[in-house]
Amino acid sequence: MLSLSDVREARERVDGAARHTPLERSRTFSEMSGADVHLKLENLQRTGAFKIRGAMNRIATLSEAEREAGVVTASAGNHAQGVALAAQRAGVDATVVMPKFAPVSKVKATRGYGASVRLEGVDYDEAQAYAHELEREEDRTYVHAFNDSVVMAGQGTLGLEIVDDCSELDTVVVPIGGGGLISGVAVAVKEQLPDVRVVGVQAEGAASAAKSLAAGEVREIDRVDTIADGIATRAVGEETLEVMAAYVDEVVTVDDREIALALTLLLERSKTLVEGAGAVSLAAVLSEAFEYDDGETVVAALCGGNIDLNRLGTVIRRGLVQMGRYLKITIDLKDRPGELERVSSIVARTGANVYAVHHDRTSRDVAVNAAELELELETDDAEHAADIVDALEADGYVVEIES
């Protein structure tokens, strides 16, 4: 099984390739939660995620024959970039298989680091199956994203940094996809500070870890569905499950609404951009997915910042809805002069800002003498949004809340 000495040896190999990322206390999130919250800003890591740590450690241990043959891997994006950069630095040829629907930004970044990219399959697991075909056909070394003790040891260097920078911590919260990061971090932390609690977090739409731990064997789920694409795997690994069973204290889940809220709050309050997978640890703290005491020192690992810009707008909008800062409503109007002005005046009196207006007379669901009005509004909070709806309904309008 993975040991602390493995992680310490890995630190020597990845030093210079991986940065020692900042660990900062957040006054905002400490006040919001009641805990003493610190953020491990791994979104500032080279390639934008922790994966460079494990990839560099694995490639550094290749034999000369393996280096000559090259490597292959499968990834939804972050591991792809880590392997691509690590291989480039080591002068090793790399082929990366990514799902067809992987974020465009991650595909371009992986190619930018010099790897050959092939798009195969609808998710990570199908991409991985194709990568294993290439492994056999081309005699390449497969660099697994998580189910490899050498990769886990590399990821564990993040845990060494947490202990170095915050030795008085009580709880470490770490995302779980396949389990490589939390396995390495848990060993690095608990072998030095046995009383520290390690909490793993999965997205609700990709939650295989708790089922596997309860069963004592890997349990694969049928499908994944989450905005946290960086941890969207159907199953944890056999090797990672063994380590998690020995070192991880608790596994919890958060849903996409909670992830979007945490991501939006990080962006607005901490000026920190993360991807969905990078926000799940803070989401678990803010949603109280696990119990903690007032003043408890909690370190949340923000494991990546590689979010596609097209998805960012959607996620922020979801986060604003959760905060009560965005309101989308539909109203049926009488098709007569002055009705639109009447609604506008009500909205103006409430102090809302209008994002967009859509006025439709031709919808099949609208009476011949009526029109459908869709409004997108910027609001202060949930109470303000409710006041707007109340004001419109008090004036006789039937309001349907879309989001």
Side-chain angles (χ1 to χ4, degrees):
M1 185 184 289
L2 185 68
S3 69
L4 179 61
S5 61
D6 293 330
V7 181
R8 285 176 167 159
E9 288 173 7
R11 177 156 60 179
E12 296 178 8
R13 298 189 190 103
V14 306
D15 185 41
R19 297 188 177 108
H20 184 130
T21 52
L23 181 68
E24 297 181 357
R25 182 180 186 274
S26 171
R27 183 170 63 88
T28 295
F29 297 124
S30 295
E31 291 175 353
M32 290 177 67
S33 65
D36 183 24
V37 178
H38 297 246
L39 304 176
K40 176 59 172 172
L41 301 177
E42 192 66 6
N43 58 305
L44 301 180
Q45 183 55 262
R46 187 170 282 124
T47 75
F50 70 93
K51 292 289 191 176
I52 182 64
R53 298 173 183 270
M56 196 70 212
N57 194 44
R58 182 68 184 89
I59 288 175
T61 60
L62 294 175
S63 68
E64 190 57 39
E66 289 171 330
R67 291 169 61 89
E68 287 293 326
V71 297
V72 63
T73 193
S75 169
N78 288 336
H79 179 62
Q81 293 173 72
V83 170
L85 179 58
Q88 183 187 68
R89 290 175 65 95
V92 174
D93 184 70
T95 296
V96 177
V97 184
M98 303 177 74
K100 292 178 181 178
F101 305 111
V104 173
S105 59
K106 294 184 178 182
V107 174
K108 288 184 175 181
T110 303
R111 286 178 172 144
Y113 288 124
S116 171
V117 176
R118 301 195 189 185
L119 302 178
E120 296 287 341
V122 298
D123 60 14
Y124 167 78
D125 297 272
E126 290 187 5
Q128 180 180 234
Y130 184 77
H132 282 305
E133 290 181 20
L134 295 179
E135 174 192 10
R136 293 187 292 270
E137 293 171 1
E138 301 179 5
D139 197 31
R140 291 174 177 267
T141 297
Y142 186 81
V143 181
H144 203 287
F146 49 85
N147 198 41
D148 182 318
S149 61
V150 179
V151 172
M152 286 188 276
Q155 320 301 29
T157 60
L158 185 148
L160 297 179
E161 292 176 11
I162 290 174
V163 173
D164 288 345
D165 296 341
C166 187
S167 60
E168 300 302 315
L169 75 160
D170 298 306
T171 299
V172 178
V173 192
V174 185
I176 302 177
L181 176 63
I182 195 169
S183 295
V185 169
V187 168
V189 171
K190 292 186 81 76
E191 283 294 319
Q192 297 180 85
L193 303 171
D195 293 333
V196 171
R197 179 174 53 157
V198 177
V199 176
V201 188
Q202 289 201 297
E204 192 175 80
S208 64
K211 294 178 182 178
S212 298
L213 286 166
E217 62 181 13
V218 174
R219 292 290 175 88
E220 182 175 312
I221 57 178
D222 294 333
R223 57 190 294 268
V224 294
D225 183 15
T226 175
I227 61 173
D229 58 90
I231 54 173
T233 58
R234 294 185 199 170
V236 297
E238 292 181 0
E239 291 190 44
T240 60
L241 180 63
E242 181 183 13
V243 177
M244 286 191 288
Y247 287 93
V248 175
D249 297 285
E250 185 177 358
V251 175
V252 299
T253 61
V254 290
D255 62 33
D256 279 0
R257 295 174 304 167
E258 292 162 336
I259 297 169
L261 176 59
L263 188 154
T264 306
L265 285 169
L266 279 163
L267 191 56
E268 181 178 57
R269 303 301 299 273
S270 295
K271 309 301 179 282
T272 299
L273 177 64
V274 299
E275 60 189 283
V280 296
S281 295
L282 181 62
V285 176
L286 297 180
S287 66
E288 298 182 358
F290 63 95
E291 294 183 2
Y292 51 82
D293 297 328
D294 287 345
E296 180 174 331
T297 300
V298 177
V299 173
L302 309 185
C303 67
N306 294 318
I307 188 166
D308 185 79
L309 291 181
N310 290 322
R311 172 165 287 189
L312 178 60
T314 301
V315 174
I316 290 175
R317 186 62 53 85
R318 285 194 183 190
L320 290 172
V321 169
Q322 291 300 107
M323 296 163 68
R325 300 267 297 281
Y326 172 84
L327 176 65
K328 183 178 181 180
I329 57 176
T330 301
I331 306 168
D332 286 343
L333 301 179
K334 292 295 182 182
D335 191 11
R336 61 192 180 195
E339 280 296 298
L340 184 56
E341 182 181 0
R342 183 178 164 210
V343 171
S344 297
S345 65
I346 296 170
V347 171
R349 287 201 306 269
T350 64
N353 186 38
V354 178
Y355 278 129
V357 177
H358 180 68
H359 187 261
D360 187 3
R361 290 189 179 93
T362 61
S363 173
R364 292 181 179 181
D365 298 327
V366 178
V368 175
N369 63 341
E372 183 180 80
L373 178 65
E374 183 181 87
L375 293 175
E376 295 182 53
L377 306 172
E378 179 185 11
T379 53
D380 295 338
D381 50 33
E383 184 178 355
H384 185 207
D387 289 343
I388 295 167
V389 174
D390 290 344
L392 289 165
E393 290 179 339
D395 218 60
Y397 293 105
V398 177
V399 180
E400 182 177 347
I401 300 174
E402 302 291 343
S403 61

